[in-house]
DNA sequence: TGAAATGTTGGGGCG
DNA sequence: ACGCCCCAACATTTC
């Protein structure tokens, strides 16, 4: 048994992107070193005020998850204080108001969070309150995986090999129940702000298909368990729905990444190895942003900062709306717009298309995904976009350009996924579903889909666009 | 976790 | 029987 000394009389656990009680290391560390604990969550206006969509799915997801969290804590006799305002001010105020000796939270690595946490930390230090930042969100952080020379890895495969040499540290779980006596309920006004209070519209339909909270994460994992052994084979086919769908839970911490790791190594199979690989990719991109913060603004490979993108706003808009005339691209974008989620294969295809066919700056696409994806995470999103744009570390070389028609044929042979999100192509035969502009006017009549009227004509010619991308990249390299 | 251009091979049609 | 051409099918290289 860990017999860590009690160091603090009262501690505050500040939840951020770890909205769970199960296997939460900030809670565990706080309990081990304190006699009394309570909890805080802040709806941070610094983030919320910038959201233009007042029925933002993420805010809804968080709100419902926080509500469940509050209930779980209350059941054990504890108290989750939920505030609305600026975290940089509130955390200090609450810590002072409740006379805590320490604040515990899970480490966050993206530049916005690092800046915020620095401000909070400085304020707390002035109040003589300790700050304990705990590794919780990733399996391996910061400088845990380094080359023999002590440098950060910039290529995935050697990073992965080094990562796998030593299993990650998985501390024993504790439950709140076994530490009930440490939970503290100040019996203050215990309501939490409603979505309306914070200026958001209450729109339950925006969470259709999502299950927030720890309970939702458990349900999601339960569904995935049966398909994990064939994950390597099936994950690339968007019509099959055989991905884990756990990303949003990982994003907001309604499940612990260590729980997922345990699942990945429980039964060895090609599927579970591919799944573990994805968890390692996630660590990898966190590491990249941590060690090379310039990637959030610029290309990882400096020579590609010279790229000159024409950034045609008409083409960009067509892409955003899913009206490029390329069915597979449009299906992906419409899935994103309608559901807040996009299958990973489609993230690659649509990203490649925006950059290499429409010649729009990858940052524009990165920002659009950031607005729309419910599972948006800076490091993974940035890593993915730089990979597709060939500007990233270990990205695909610039001359590897996806052909949207071939990708479509390969990964959505019968157009099942396409037809789900592009209903105007519903009656188009499989033969034409990947490139409907090739239909004769007679076939367009049969399939009730007149190109340029019911469904857009292709906004670019892939072959020409590809050649132009090659010359753009070639001249940037110099 | 590409795709296109180019090169090579071999079978079949044909004079 | 033979050379020639065509063109899949596959392999290699190039971007």
């Amino acid at each position: 048994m860990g017999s860590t000394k009690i160091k603090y009389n009262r501690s505050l656990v500040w939840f951020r992107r770890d909205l769970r009680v199960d296997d939460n290391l900030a809670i565990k560390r706080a309990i081990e070193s304190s006699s009394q604990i309570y909890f805080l969550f802040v709806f941070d206006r610094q983030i919320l005020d910038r959201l233009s969509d007042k029925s933002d799915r993420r805010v809804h997801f968080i709100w419902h998850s926080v509500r469940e969290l509050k209930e779980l804590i209350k059941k054990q006799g504890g108290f989750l204080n939920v505030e609305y305002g600026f975290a940089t001010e509130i955390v200090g105020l609450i810590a002072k108001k409740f006379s805590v000796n320490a604040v515990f939270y899970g480490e966050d690595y993206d530049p916005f969070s690092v800046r915020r946490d620095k401000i909070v930390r400085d304020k707390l230090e002035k109040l003589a309150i300790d700050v304990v930042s705990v590794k919780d969100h990733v399996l391996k952080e910061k400088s845990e995986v380094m080359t023999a020379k002590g440098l950060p890895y910039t290529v995935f495969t050697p990073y992965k090999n080094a990562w796998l040499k030593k299993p990650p540290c998985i501390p024993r779980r504790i439950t709140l129940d076994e530490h009930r006596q440490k939970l503290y309920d100040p019996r203050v006004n215990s309501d939490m702000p409603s979505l309306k209070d914070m200026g958001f519209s209450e729109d339950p339909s925006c969470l259709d298909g999502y299950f927030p909270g720890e309970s939702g994460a458990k349900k999601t994992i339960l569904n995935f368990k049966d398909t994990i052994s064939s994950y390597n084979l099936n994950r690339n086919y968007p019509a099959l729905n055989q991905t884990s769908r756990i990303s949003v839970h990982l994003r907001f911490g309604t499940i612990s990444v260590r729980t997922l790791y345990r699942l990945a190594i429980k039964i060895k199979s090609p599927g579970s190895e591919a799944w573990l690989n994805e968890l390692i990719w996630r660590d990898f991109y966190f590491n990249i942003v941590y060690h090379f913060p310039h990637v959030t603004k610029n290309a990882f490979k400096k020579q590609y900062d010279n790229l000159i993108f024409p950034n045609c706003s008409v083409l960009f808009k067509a892409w955003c709306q899913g009206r490029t005339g390329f069915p597979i691209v449009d299906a992906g974008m419409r899935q994103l717009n309608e559901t807040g989620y996009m299958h990973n294969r489609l993230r690659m295809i649509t990203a490649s298309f925006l950059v290499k066919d429409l010649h729009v700056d990858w940052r524009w696409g990165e920002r659009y995904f950031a607005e729309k994806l419910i599972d948006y995470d800076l490091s993974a999103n940035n890593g993915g976009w730089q990979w597709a744009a060939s500007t990233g570390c270990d990205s695909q070389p610039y001359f590897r350009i996806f052909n949207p028609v071939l990708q479509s044929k390969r990964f959505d042979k019968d157009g099942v996924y396409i037809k789900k999100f592009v209903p105007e192509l519903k009656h188009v035969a499989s033969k034409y579903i990947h490139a409907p502009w090739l239909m004769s006017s007679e076939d367009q009549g049969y399939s009730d889909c007149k190109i340029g009227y019911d469904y857009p004509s292709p906004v670019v010619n892939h072959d020409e666009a590809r050649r132009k991308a090659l010359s753009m990249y070639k001249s940037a390299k110099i």
Side-chain angles (χ1 to χ4, degrees):
Chain A
M1 293 294 282
S3 58
T4 321
K5 278 238 175 67
I6 295 297
K7 210 172 150 191
Y8 304 113
N9 185 19
R10 276 187 186 178
S11 288
L12 176 65
V13 173
W14 175 24
F15 289 105
R16 298 109 63 84
R17 47 183 299 176
D18 51 347
L19 305 178
R20 66 180 187 283
V21 293
D22 178 50
D23 194 28
N24 183 316
L25 287 183
I27 298 179
K28 180 175 158 95
R29 298 299 173 226
I31 282 180
E32 283 169 348
S33 58
S34 323
S35 339
Q36 239 175 15
I37 309 286
Y38 66 104
F39 304 94
L40 171 68
F41 179 81
V42 183
F43 282 100
D44 194 347
R45 285 189 52 190
Q46 214 164 88
I47 300 166
L48 298 186
D49 287 356
R50 280 185 317 196
L51 298 178
S52 49
D53 179 3
K54 289 308 165 194
S55 46
D56 190 290
R57 289 187 178 82
R58 292 166 290 198
V59 180
H60 282 246
F61 190 93
I62 293 170
W63 190 87
H64 286 279
S65 298
V66 168
R67 193 178 61 174
E68 184 183 298
L69 183 62
K70 193 170 167 62
E71 283 305 307
L72 285 171
I73 291 171
K74 193 178 174 187
K75 245 184 231 166
Q76 306 296 341
F79 177 66
L80 172 60
N81 196 357
V82 182
E83 297 284 341
Y84 171 60
F86 292 95
T88 46
E89 293 165 9
I90 287 180
V91 179
L93 289 176
I94 297 290
K96 196 176 164 192
K97 184 174 167 191
F98 290 94
S99 321
V100 301
N101 313 109
V103 172
F104 288 75
Y105 57 74
E107 177 93 20
D108 223 336
Y109 308 89
D110 72 75
F112 166 80
S113 309
V114 169
R115 272 198 304 278
R116 175 199 60 201
D117 292 348
K118 171 90 172 65
I119 296 171
V120 171
R121 182 181 282 270
D122 288 348
K123 288 198 175 169
L124 290 172
E125 270 168 13
K126 282 200 186 112
L127 296 165
I129 297 170
D130 280 3
V131 174
V132 184
S133 167
V134 181
K135 178 183 83 165
D136 177 77
H137 194 56
V138 293
L139 290 163
K140 302 207 179 187
E141 67 169 0
K142 295 181 177 175
S143 306
E144 282 187 75
V145 184
M146 301 292 266
T147 67
K149 285 186 180 168
L151 297 172
Y153 283 97
T154 58
V155 180
F156 177 71
T157 306
Y159 173 84
K160 180 184 81 171
N161 293 336
W163 193 105
L164 286 169
K165 273 210 179 100
K166 206 177 124 198
C169 167
I170 309 287
R172 191 183 63 85
R173 311 161 113 91
I174 58 159
T175 65
L176 279 191
D177 188 42
E178 55 187 309
H179 298 281
R180 293 183 70 107
Q181 78 284 357
K182 289 192 174 181
L183 302 185
Y184 173 64
D185 184 353
R187 295 178 197 284
V188 295
N189 175 20
S190 65
D191 277 351
M192 65 183 268
S194 71
L195 286 162
K196 275 219 177 80
D197 293 339
M198 299 187 286
F200 286 84
S201 55
E202 280 171 32
D203 175 10
S205 73
C206 81
L207 285 185
D208 280 354
Y210 294 105
F211 307 100
E214 292 192 64
S215 60
K218 277 185 196 119
K219 195 183 291 185
T220 306
I221 276 302
L222 213 57
N223 287 337
F224 180 53
K225 268 183 181 158
D226 299 331
T227 54
I228 190 168
S229 63
S230 51
Y231 177 77
N232 59 319
L233 301 174
N234 295 332
R235 65 178 165 150
N236 269 315
Y237 301 95
L240 296 182
N241 262 326
Q242 303 259 310
T243 55
S244 71
R245 294 303 303 260
I246 204 68
S247 55
V248 63
H249 292 285
L250 206 42
R251 172 62 184 86
F252 298 116
T254 39
I255 197 162
S256 132
V257 68
R258 292 171 298 280
T259 300
L260 301 181
Y261 176 74
R262 286 188 207 97
L263 177 66
I265 59 168
K266 198 168 166 188
I267 299 165
K268 213 176 143 123
S269 70
S272 59
E273 273 177 40
W275 160 246
L276 176 60
N277 239 17
E278 299 302 322
L279 296 180
I280 302 175
W281 267 109
R282 181 171 170 275
D283 273 10
F284 178 67
Y285 281 139
F286 272 103
N287 268 266
I288 293 297
V289 171
Y290 177 78
H291 289 287
F292 306 95
H294 74 274
V295 296
T296 63
K297 305 262 182 222
N298 296 111
F300 177 89
K301 292 177 183 158
K302 301 251 189 307
Q303 73 265 30
Y304 292 122
D305 284 333
N306 299 327
L307 275 169
I308 299 161
F309 293 102
N311 293 333
C312 169
S313 59
V314 173
L315 292 178
F316 180 61
K317 196 174 169 196
W319 179 83
C320 292
Q321 295 178 335
R323 296 187 54 78
T324 67
F326 289 81
I328 194 73
V329 174
D330 293 343
M333 295 308 293
R334 292 187 199 186
Q335 180 180 33
L336 176 63
N337 292 334
E338 285 163 29
T339 71
Y341 174 84
M342 196 196 297
H343 185 280
N344 188 249
R345 169 58 51 181
L346 275 300
R347 297 189 197 198
M348 294 194 272
I349 296 173
T350 55
S352 176
F353 189 79
L354 181 72
V355 178
K356 307 232 170 116
D357 282 82
L358 303 185
H359 313 130
V360 173
D361 194 317
W362 57 271
R363 296 168 193 85
W364 291 34
E366 182 191 20
R367 200 185 321 130
Y368 191 75
F369 275 22
E371 277 169 32
K372 295 281 177 183
L373 280 171
I374 194 172
D375 60 23
Y376 165 68
D377 181 286
L378 185 143
S379 54
N381 192 48
N382 178 266
W385 273 96
Q386 294 230 32
W387 179 85
S390 304
T391 58
C393 60
D394 199 19
S395 56
Q396 57 175 351
Y398 74 90
F399 44 80
R400 280 195 192 155
I401 295 173
F402 279 23
N403 179 325
V405 175
L406 289 181
Q407 288 284 316
S408 186
K409 285 180 179 163
R410 194 174 303 157
F411 297 110
D412 190 31
K413 193 168 180 302
D414 302 316
V416 173
Y417 173 80
I418 289 171
K419 290 180 181 184
K420 187 167 173 191
F421 291 103
V422 190
E424 60 266 43
L425 298 172
K426 196 160 49 182
H427 302 297
V428 173
S430 301
K431 185 182 166 192
Y432 292 119
I433 192 67
H434 312 288
W437 60 87
L438 296 178
M439 284 192 290
S440 64
S441 55
E442 204 182 9
D443 283 322
Q444 294 181 31
Y446 288 145
S447 50
D448 196 21
C449 180
K450 190 164 157 30
I451 299 303
Y453 181 74
D454 297 309
Y455 182 71
S457 311
V459 290
V460 291
N461 174 306
H462 170 70
D463 198 47
E464 283 171 22
R466 173 182 165 273
R467 287 172 206 279
K468 185 170 173 197
L470 287 172
S471 71
M472 269 170 53
Y473 275 79
K474 210 177 282 176
S475 50
K477 267 201 319 176
I478 303 160

